[in-house]
Amino acid sequence: MQIVSSPIVELKKAAVALGQGNMTARVKKGTILFRDEIADLKDTFNSMANQIASHQMILEHKVGISIVFLMKTLSVSHTHQAASLVNSAMF
């Protein structure tokens, strides 16, 4: 039973780690001699983990761009408000 439970335990640990935010969590590939459903499940898990990590990187990049845009917008807005105050004080 150890032959079957060990890969399942490994898969569970990797799934928990991925769920906790460890985007590098992967399972070891089995040997070519033992190509079975467990090996296919490991491959599928690793593929899913790669896709999740890729999507997270894309989202983080988009958030970074949004933050820069908002900071520039706020900066311009404050500059315009200050200019308006100066102009109204002068006239």
Side-chain angles (χ1 to χ4, degrees):
M1 194 56 126
Q2 180 68 16
I3 293 173
V4 173
S5 65
S6 181
I8 293 172
V9 170
E10 179 188 8
L11 186 59
K12 179 184 175 190
K13 286 180 183 178
V16 168
L18 185 65
Q20 293 175 342
N22 179 355
M23 292 297 125
T24 63
R26 302 294 185 275
V27 291
K28 296 175 189 162
K29 292 187 175 239
T31 64
I32 295 176
L33 296 176
F34 296 107
R35 206 59 212 165
D36 59 4
E37 291 87 0
I38 298 291
D40 291 341
L41 186 58
K42 287 180 169 187
D43 289 344
T44 301
F45 177 86
N46 286 338
S47 176
M48 177 196 67
N50 288 335
Q51 290 174 345
I52 290 171
S54 175
H55 289 300
Q56 181 179 356
M57 286 176 36
I58 290 167
L59 287 173
E60 287 175 356
H61 179 73
K62 287 180 178 181
V63 167
I65 290 172
S66 296
I67 289 171
V68 169
F69 175 76
L70 287 172
M71 289 176 72
K72 286 181 180 180
T73 301
L74 289 173
S75 175
V76 168
S77 175
H78 284 109
T79 302
H80 285 255
Q81 287 176 351
S84 294
L85 287 173
V86 169
N87 284 337
S88 66
M90 294 178 93
F91 299 106

